[in-house]
Amino acid sequence: MLLEIREKVHGLFASIILILICVLFGLWGIQNYLGGGKEAPVVSVGDKEFFQRDVSQAYQQYAQNLAGMKFDEETIKKQALQKLVRDEVLLQYVQDQNLLVSDETARDFIQTLEYFQKDGKFDKTQYQTMLGSQGMSSAEFVNRIKKALVMEQFQRALVDSSFVTPAEINNFFKIQNQTRDVEYLTVPLTAVSQQPGEEEITAYYQQHQDAYQTPEQVAIEYVELSLDKLAADISPTEEQLKAYYEEQKVQFTTKERRKISHILFAFSKDKTADELALQKALKAKQDLKSKDFAALAAEVSDDKLTAKNGGDLGLFNVGVMEKAFEDAASSLKLGEVSEPVKSAFGYHLIKVTELIPGDVKPYEAVKAEVSKAYQKAQAEAKFNTLAEKVAEVSYENPDSLAAVAQLLGGATSKTEAFTRAAGEGIAADEKVRAAAFSEDVLKGSNSEPLEIGGDKVVVLRMLSHQPAASRELKDVKAQVIAAIQQDKAKQQAVATADKVKQELAGGKTLAQIAEALHLQTKKINGLTRTASDLPAAVTQEIFRTAKPKAGQPSVAVIDEAKGGKLVVSVNSVHEGVMSDSDKSKQALIAKNISAAFGKAQMEAVLNALQTKAEIVINTQKQ
């Protein structure tokens, strides 16, 4: 459920803004609310129609979330379409219920978006400029934000209202802390050396041709907007560099390092106590003529926490202490002790125990560094502007990269063919491979602009496409034979494991069966869900096995990592109890369980709404 939602609008700017919104909303977000022209809709939910572009965008977002993973394209298309439908069903429901988000609330949220801020504050000019570049009014953008916020409002109201009872928490720990006494043996995978016949080889090959295919490959051409390249093309003058150095001098300054200690003479609000503390401080100042500061601090300081360390307060930081204290600490020389300094805590004697003066690196010493920083700063502004323009030009010219290349003043680059799983050069990036194999690109369109590493934007299109193809039997015969032998070895292990299970049901003990098969048994008493005695997957299966009944153990046959089988006898189950450590976690457990209940309830509500909704899907358009 936690997949991000992103609306298909023009420009890199829109993608950045909508990603920020998606991260905040978590479960719900903004979908497409723009019409699709005169083309026939792919799906309609009530009066709302979605077109091929909407469905393709939903699929692309799903595919990006699964970058680097193997998945069935048709399954992902169906899931993406289902997500599109469910979000629209929810939106229409909350609108029918007259749930509202005020303009003020939406605008307050928009002002928190970093893309509209300068120096940590919302910048109206930047906001209007960015919206204008998208051909969108402020009212339109606010309306879209309101739709997303009202969906989030409904979801949170439902999920956050869920609760869990003490009995349910106790039941959780009974299950979570449950232990099991088990006994098991391993049926190993025994190699099969018998050679299969030609007919068997041919039959197996024909049944498993998908396993003996050359992988699908594409080669692409692409245009790259690079921050580093833009920076390298900037040639600042000496005057510009010196001016930049003065502006950024703090970046080339080492701050003064000042370490201090103090002796505190505390006082209360009583005026007499104030005078007494001052007199103690003055006396201590005199005593320092013959005594060590650290020793005297340990002896008389009322700050007992630092007294045992000679009054050491560590490095001095402005803004932590009161002004009088800071002024004194800042003005002392190394080893010098202040006169009594009054603060809200009492009177202090302050000593500087370490002092390393600050230093400003001269311009000539950091000229190369200044030049690089200046080039990057200038390039960043140009990069953002060009990134927006790249998105617009690519969208307006979806059948060629020539216009984008002309915009950037360079030629397109090309790659060798690569697969979904691996590539070289720019194709080593998962985002690039996912885009190269996306539906739109395979149909001949430009990809959307891809942000790579924060300092590159890439637009690509397909040069060539080689679908997966079956290899001839003669070229893979050795692999087919090995696969047949492996399958037979697995079948033998399955048959042996089933025989063990049957004999256990017939009354034999696991030890008796193991002896006959020349195998060894192992026992684990008090196995927990988090134990490391067995692989985690095996432990999970053991705890999924039914409890023993009427004195008869429960038996499970579980896959073993090396291809064999584990036959496990669950002899007894012990109910878990809440430990002292668990008691301290009750609040967190209750929160997590109630959240799970709330999400399940939300899922049920969505299912019910979808059942009632008028949904029409034109499968031919998918």
Side-chain angles (χ1 to χ4, degrees):
M1 291 177 66
L2 294 175
L3 289 176
E4 296 177 349
I5 306 166
R6 189 184 67 186
E7 183 178 9
K8 172 79 169 183
V9 290
H10 305 172
L12 184 64
F13 148 75
S15 297
I16 296 171
I17 292 300
L18 293 170
I19 287 172
L20 287 171
I21 294 171
C22 292
V23 170
L24 176 70
F25 293 159
L27 294 178
W28 313 112
I30 299 174
Q31 286 294 332
N32 268 313
Y33 300 110
L34 297 176
K38 296 181 180 179
E39 64 176 306
V42 176
V43 58
S44 61
V45 181
D47 295 333
K48 175 63 183 179
E49 295 179 335
F50 292 97
F51 299 86
Q52 186 58 51
R53 179 180 174 183
D54 304 313
V55 176
S56 297
Q57 174 61 21
Y59 165 73
Q60 288 171 8
Q61 183 62 45
Y62 251 68
Q64 287 177 10
N65 290 330
L66 299 173
M69 300 170 58
K70 292 184 178 180
F71 57 84
D72 178 69
E73 188 171 357
E74 289 304 314
T75 299
I76 298 303
K77 285 182 180 179
K78 290 178 181 178
Q79 291 177 351
L81 182 60
Q82 173 76 344
K83 184 79 171 74
L84 195 69
V85 168
R86 287 167 75 84
D87 287 337
E88 181 60 29
V89 167
L90 176 63
L91 176 62
Q92 292 184 15
Y93 175 75
V94 297
Q95 289 176 332
D96 289 344
Q97 296 300 307
N98 295 319
L99 295 181
L100 298 172
V101 168
S102 68
D103 289 346
E104 183 180 3
T105 299
R107 290 192 175 106
D108 287 345
F109 168 73
I110 290 170
Q111 289 181 8
T112 67
L113 298 177
E114 293 182 6
Y115 203 81
F116 297 135
Q117 295 181 351
K118 281 187 177 179
D119 300 323
K121 295 181 179 180
F122 177 74
D123 186 276
K124 187 175 181 180
T125 301
Q126 182 163 325
Y127 170 72
Q128 292 174 338
T129 300
M130 294 303 174
L131 291 188
S133 69
Q134 304 305 312
M136 187 187 306
S137 70
S138 178
E140 289 174 323
F141 188 66
V142 169
N143 188 49
R144 295 184 182 193
I145 295 296
K146 287 168 67 176
K147 287 178 179 180
L149 287 175
V150 78
M151 292 166 72
E152 173 73 1
Q153 180 188 83
F154 175 79
Q155 179 241 330
R156 288 300 172 200
L158 192 61
V159 173
D160 293 347
S161 64
S162 182
F163 64 92
V164 61
T165 66
E168 287 169 330
I169 295 176
N170 286 330
N171 287 336
F172 168 80
F173 283 111
K174 285 180 181 179
I175 296 171
Q176 178 66 20
N177 294 344
Q178 183 187 98
T179 63
R180 298 191 166 201
D181 298 336
V182 300
E183 186 177 12
Y184 68 95
L185 62 78
T186 302
V187 179
L189 198 66
T190 304
V192 173
S193 58
Q194 181 182 358
Q195 292 290 312
E198 291 299 322
E199 290 185 4
E200 186 178 7
I201 293 172
T202 301
Y204 187 93
Y205 167 76
Q206 291 175 346
Q207 292 171 7
H208 300 85
Q209 283 194 29
D210 288 350
Y212 303 104
Q213 290 185 327
T214 56
E216 180 184 18
Q217 293 183 312
V218 296
I220 61 170
E221 63 173 337
Y222 64 94
V223 176
E224 179 181 87
L225 170 62
S226 169
L227 180 63
D228 288 343
K229 187 175 184 305
L230 289 177
D233 291 339
I234 294 173
S235 301
T237 64
E238 189 75 7
E239 290 74 18
Q240 288 173 325
L241 290 181
K242 287 182 177 179
Y244 187 77
Y245 168 78
E246 292 298 328
E247 291 174 5
Q248 304 294 323
K249 186 172 286 188
V250 67
Q251 303 297 327
F252 310 105
T253 300
T254 302
K255 291 184 179 180
E256 177 187 77
R257 177 186 172 94
R258 185 178 286 259
K259 195 173 181 181
I260 61 173
S261 295
H262 81 141
I263 301 174
L264 172 66
F265 300 93
F267 57 70
S268 63
K269 294 182 179 180
D270 183 88
K271 190 173 182 179
T272 304
D274 183 324
E275 183 63 28
L276 181 61
L278 175 58
Q279 292 304 318
K280 288 182 178 179
L282 291 170
K283 181 179 184 303
K285 180 69 184 291
Q286 292 296 318
D287 291 342
L288 286 172
K289 293 179 179 179
S290 59
K291 290 188 176 182
D292 177 69
F293 188 94
L296 187 61
E299 181 183 337
V300 302
S301 179
D302 289 330
D303 183 353
K304 300 304 180 186
L305 187 63
T306 63
K308 58 186 178 183
N309 295 319
D312 184 21
L313 288 172
L315 291 177
F316 170 63
N317 294 305
V318 175
V320 177
M321 299 294 290
E322 295 178 26
K323 187 176 185 303
F325 186 100
E326 291 184 350
D327 288 346
S330 301
S331 62
L332 293 171
K333 298 176 181 179
L334 180 63
E336 186 179 1
V337 178
S338 72
E339 295 298 324
V341 177
K342 186 178 181 180
S343 77
F345 303 101
Y347 285 95
H348 307 259
L349 295 179
I350 307 168
K351 179 180 180 179
V352 176
T353 59
E354 180 180 326
L355 177 58
I356 300 176
D359 178 55
V360 180
K361 295 179 181 177
Y363 169 75
E364 291 300 332
V366 293
K367 183 177 178 179
E369 188 177 345
V370 171
S371 178
K372 187 175 181 180
Y374 178 86
Q375 287 175 307
K376 184 176 181 181
Q378 296 299 310
E380 283 175 346
K382 189 175 181 181
F383 180 87
N384 292 332
T385 301
L386 279 175
E388 282 293 323
K389 195 64 178 175
V390 163
E392 294 172 9
V393 171
S394 176
Y395 176 76
E396 292 167 357
N397 301 271
D399 299 325
S400 171
L401 291 178
V404 181
Q406 183 178 6
L407 170 68
L408 299 180
T412 60
S413 300
K414 300 177 181 179
T415 70
E416 298 294 328
F418 56 88
T419 67
R420 292 178 184 268
E424 296 182 356
I426 197 169
D429 191 285
E430 287 185 1
K431 284 186 180 179
V432 171
R433 296 199 303 274
F437 285 95
S438 67
E439 187 175 24
D440 283 352
V441 172
L442 291 179
K443 286 181 178 179
S445 297
N446 292 345
S447 72
E448 292 186 357
L450 307 173
E451 187 174 349
I452 309 296
D455 60 356
K456 291 180 183 177
V457 171
V458 172
V459 180
L460 60 87
R461 65 181 293 103
M462 180 184 68
L463 274 179
S464 63
H465 178 220
Q466 302 170 21
S470 297
R471 300 166 66 188
E472 293 186 23
L473 175 58
K474 63 182 179 65
D475 297 325
V476 294
K477 188 173 182 179
Q479 297 174 35
V480 173
I481 291 172
I484 292 173
Q485 292 173 331
Q486 180 78 354
D487 279 2
K488 287 182 176 180
K490 290 181 178 179
Q491 291 168 12
Q492 288 179 5
V494 169
T496 301
D498 288 343
K499 181 182 178 182
V500 172
K501 188 174 181 179
Q502 291 171 8
E503 290 182 351
L504 281 170
K508 288 186 178 181
T509 66
L510 195 63
Q512 291 172 333
I513 300 169
E515 184 177 0
L517 294 173
H518 305 292
L519 299 174
Q520 291 184 339
T521 63
K522 294 183 179 180
K523 287 185 178 181
I524 302 176
N525 291 327
L527 179 69
T528 66
R529 294 177 186 273
T530 57
S532 58
D533 307 66
L534 294 167
V538 173
T539 301
Q540 289 175 8
E541 288 299 322
I542 289 174
F543 277 90
R544 289 193 186 104
T545 303
K547 295 180 180 180
K549 293 182 179 179
Q552 292 294 319
S554 293
V555 180
V557 177
I558 303 171
D559 292 336
E560 194 259 341
K562 295 180 180 179
K565 296 289 181 179
L566 289 177
V567 182
V568 181
S569 173
V570 180
N571 299 326
S572 59
V573 174
H574 308 287
E575 191 175 83
V577 295
M578 191 186 303
S579 67
D580 290 337
S581 175
D582 292 333
K583 291 177 182 178
S584 66
K585 303 174 186 174
Q586 281 188 84
L588 178 61
I589 295 297
K591 182 179 179 181
N592 291 339
I593 295 176
S594 63
F597 286 170
K599 289 176 183 178
Q601 186 178 4
M602 185 70 202
E603 188 73 11
V605 169
L606 275 176
N607 290 336
L609 293 176
Q610 189 169 349
T611 300
K612 294 178 182 178
E614 184 180 343
I615 300 169
V616 179
I617 298 177
N618 181 358
T619 55
Q620 293 181 350
K621 288 286 182 182
Q622 293 182 47

